Amino acid sequence: MQYSKDGITVAVVLDKYKPKRNGLYPVRIRVTYRRQRQYYPTGKDLTLEQWERMPSTRNRDLKAIRESIANSFDIVRQNVDELASIAGFSFEALNTRLKSGATDTINTAFRAKIADLNEQNRVGNAIVYNNVLKGLERFAGDKIRFDVVTVEWVKKYERFLLSEDKTTSTIGIHLRTLRTILNEARRSGIIKESQYPFGRGRYEIQAGEGRKLALTLDQIGKIARYEDGSDATAKYRDYWMFLYLCNGINMADFVKLKYGDIVNGELCFVRQKTERTTRTRKEIHVIVSEPMQKIIDRRGNVPEPDNYIFPVLTGNETALEQKRKTQYLTRAINKRMTMIGKALGIDHISTYTARHSFATFVKLFYNALLFKYLNNTIMNMGNDNGKEKASDYAANYILSNNLCC
C-alpha cells in the first residue's frame, strides 16, 4: 500500500527496528515530506514471516489484519490528499486532523474509530464497528456525509436492516454504534445540535426484548451429572459448569484466568468488558469451590503462577488471534451444550445461559434473605400483623429496587 501526491508519500511499513517484548514488529503508516518522516500506528503487530505473507494470504486472521491496516492507511491517505489539494499540507496540520478525527463522512469517522480500537487491542469492539460500517455502506455507499443523516434517514436505515431480516436487538446494536459516532462528531463540532437525529422527540432506539434463559437448580444439577461416554462432551460440560460456578464469568475473562489470579482460595479478576468504562478498577472475587477446583484439576494446565488456568491461550497471540480462539471455544461449548440440552429435554443452553442463570439465582437468593431478615425484624417489633406487613414491606422493597427477576 503506497500513495504519492505533490511530493508527499504515504506507505505501510513494518518497523523492524522496534520489536515488542513478544517478538512481534509494529505495522505503521509512514508519511514522508521534504525528507522528513513521521509514523502513525495501525494497532497491528506481525512477525517477519506474517508480513511477507500478508499481501497474498488466504488465512482468515491475516486477511482481517490486512483489511484493518488498509483502513488505517485510507484514513491517513485521505487526510493527506485533502490537505495537499488545498496546498495546506504540514505534519502539524495532518496531526491535528488525525487527532481530532476531522472528516466530512461517516465512513472515515468509522474507520478512525476502528483504528483507535485496534490500537487499544479492543478487537471485539472493532469488529462490531466494522460490521456496522459494512451495513451502512450497503445502504448508502462509501461516502456518507454527516449532514444527510437526519431522523428520516435513520428511519429508512432501520427499514433497510429489517429488509435484511435483522432482529430488533441487532438493529439496536447498529443504531447505537452509529449514535456513538454522531455523539463524537457533535462533541467535535462536526455537526450541530440541530442536526443530531437521536433522542426524545427525534429518533428513539428500540430496546430488544430480553430472553428469559435462566435454568433451574434442578436442571443445572442434571447438566453437572450428565455423561454420554464422550471425552469432548465431558470437557465442554466442565467448562460450562465452571462459567456458571465462577459468578457467570464471561468467555473473554474465562480464557485469560491465570493461576496467579488465585489468592487465598479466591479467584480475583477484572471484567474485560468494564475495565475501561469504570473510573475505579473493581476486582471480582470468587471463592474457588470444591467443584471448581475439581474442574481445574481435570482440565487445567500445569499450576504455575504465570500459566493460564485452562489450555486455550498461550500468551503469544495477537489481540485478534485471542478473539478468534475465544469465539471458536464459545461455539464449541455452545454446540456441545445444545446436544446435552436435547438429551435432557432442556432448551437454549449456551455460555450466555450460564451467566444469566447465575445472576438469576443470586437475585432469588438475595430476595429470600431479605424477606427473612425483614420478616424477623418486624415480627420482633411485636406488631400484631407482623408477618403480613413483613411480606408487603419486602415485596414493595424488592419491586421498588428492581430486585425481582
Side-chain angles (χ1 to χ4, degrees):
M1 283 170 262
Q2 188 162 324
Y3 166 84
S4 183
K5 182 175 182 177
D6 297 343
I8 311 162
T9 302
V10 184
V12 177
V13 297
L14 188 71
D15 192 344
K16 300 177 183 178
Y17 301 102
K18 296 181 180 179
K20 295 192 172 181
R21 291 182 180 178
N22 57 8
L24 302 178
Y25 299 89
V27 180
R28 305 188 191 278
I29 310 297
R30 184 183 67 202
V31 179
T32 307
Y33 179 58
R34 294 180 178 175
R35 298 185 179 181
Q36 292 187 1
R37 293 177 174 177
Q38 287 203 18
Y39 294 84
Y40 301 91
T42 65
K44 298 301 178 185
D45 306 311
L46 298 171
T47 65
L48 294 174
E49 189 264 340
Q50 287 173 325
W51 173 253
E52 294 295 330
R53 288 172 50 204
M54 193 176 64
S56 58
T57 186
R58 294 184 179 180
N59 178 273
R60 184 173 64 175
D61 289 344
L62 273 181
K63 285 172 68 176
I65 291 172
R66 183 175 65 199
E67 182 178 337
S68 176
I69 292 171
N71 286 338
S72 300
F73 174 82
D74 286 341
I75 292 168
V76 177
R77 179 198 58 76
Q78 180 173 330
N79 281 281
V80 167
D81 183 69
E82 290 173 358
L83 287 169
S85 297
I86 59 174
F89 181 84
S90 69
F91 281 116
E92 183 179 0
L94 177 61
N95 293 340
T96 299
R97 289 175 68 92
L98 291 175
K99 185 176 181 180
S100 66
T103 177
D104 62 349
T105 70
I106 295 285
N107 314 69
T108 306
F110 261 89
R111 292 190 179 97
K113 183 72 173 181
I114 292 166
D116 181 54
L117 291 169
N118 280 322
E119 178 67 15
Q120 298 177 52
N121 284 332
R122 296 170 63 185
V123 177
N125 295 83
I127 290 172
V128 170
Y129 274 82
N130 194 49
N131 288 337
V132 173
L133 175 59
K134 289 178 180 178
L136 285 165
E137 292 186 338
R138 288 195 304 272
F139 171 64
D142 59 2
K143 292 183 180 179
I144 308 168
R145 300 194 318 274
F146 279 96
D147 59 5
V148 305
V149 183
T150 62
V151 173
E152 188 57 38
W153 188 95
V154 176
K155 289 179 179 177
K156 289 180 180 178
Y157 180 45
E158 179 191 29
R159 290 196 291 272
F160 169 78
L161 293 174
L162 284 169
S163 73
E164 291 192 327
D165 295 326
K166 297 290 192 294
T167 65
T168 301
S169 295
T170 300
I171 292 172
I173 291 170
H174 278 250
L175 295 177
R176 284 192 296 273
T177 305
L178 173 61
R179 183 178 63 188
T180 299
I181 293 295
L182 292 177
N183 284 340
E184 293 179 0
R186 183 172 55 170
R187 285 193 293 269
S188 300
I190 297 172
I191 63 172
K192 299 177 182 179
E193 179 63 36
S194 59
Q195 294 175 283
Y196 186 69
F198 293 100
R200 185 171 297 178
R202 301 177 187 181
Y203 181 91
E204 297 187 52
I205 300 172
Q206 294 182 353
E209 184 178 350
R211 296 175 295 166
K212 296 185 181 299
L213 300 177
L215 302 179
T216 66
L217 292 179
D218 180 62
Q219 289 173 323
I220 291 170
K222 290 179 179 178
I223 292 170
R225 296 186 294 271
Y226 181 80
E227 296 283 354
D228 66 359
S230 165
D231 290 339
T233 296
K235 180 177 76 170
Y236 292 126
R237 177 211 60 205
D238 280 353
Y239 282 169
W240 188 91
M241 286 301 305
F242 193 92
L243 296 176
Y244 171 77
L245 294 167
C246 192
N247 283 27
I249 189 172
N250 270 329
M251 286 297 298
D253 300 317
F254 168 78
V255 299
K256 291 183 179 179
L257 292 175
K258 292 188 174 183
Y259 282 101
D261 296 328
I262 301 176
V263 181
N264 296 326
E266 290 185 341
L267 260 174
C268 309
F269 62 95
V270 177
R271 282 193 68 199
Q272 179 178 301
K273 187 175 181 179
T274 60
E275 64 181 348
R276 293 183 180 87
T277 58
T278 54
R279 291 185 178 181
T280 56
R281 182 182 174 89
K282 184 179 179 181
E283 278 195 342
I284 294 174
H285 295 256
V286 182
I287 295 174
V288 180
S289 62
E290 183 179 348
M292 290 171 66
Q293 187 60 55
K294 287 182 178 179
I295 292 171
I296 292 173
D297 294 341
R298 282 198 299 269
R299 308 297 173 191
N301 284 315
V302 176
E304 297 289 342
D306 291 334
N307 282 358
Y308 289 109
I309 293 178
F310 297 104
V312 181
L313 304 178
T314 64
N316 296 320
E317 297 91 349
T318 65
L320 180 61
E321 288 168 341
Q322 285 184 1
K323 183 70 176 178
R324 298 290 190 200
K325 285 188 175 184
T326 304
Q327 289 175 330
Y328 176 83
L329 179 61
T330 303
R331 287 193 295 269
I333 293 174
N334 289 343
K335 182 178 180 180
R336 192 63 59 160
M337 294 309 296
T338 297
M339 293 171 57
I340 292 175
K342 287 181 179 178
L344 295 175
I346 304 171
D347 292 332
H348 306 301
I349 307 179
S350 67
T351 57
Y352 181 78
T353 315
R355 180 169 182 78
H356 190 76
S357 297
F358 176 81
T360 301
F361 170 75
V362 168
K363 283 186 178 182
L364 289 170
F365 186 68
Y366 178 79
N367 292 348
L369 287 178
L370 176 65
F371 177 82
K372 183 176 180 180
Y373 169 76
L374 292 171
N375 183 48
N376 290 338
T377 300
I378 295 179
M379 285 292 285
N380 290 335
M381 291 170 64
N383 200 308
D384 292 337
N385 299 313
K387 189 171 184 179
E388 182 178 347
K389 289 183 180 293
S391 177
D392 291 343
Y393 189 90
N396 288 333
Y397 185 90
I398 289 167
L399 290 170
S400 64
N401 288 277
N402 196 30
L403 297 174
C404 56
C405 301

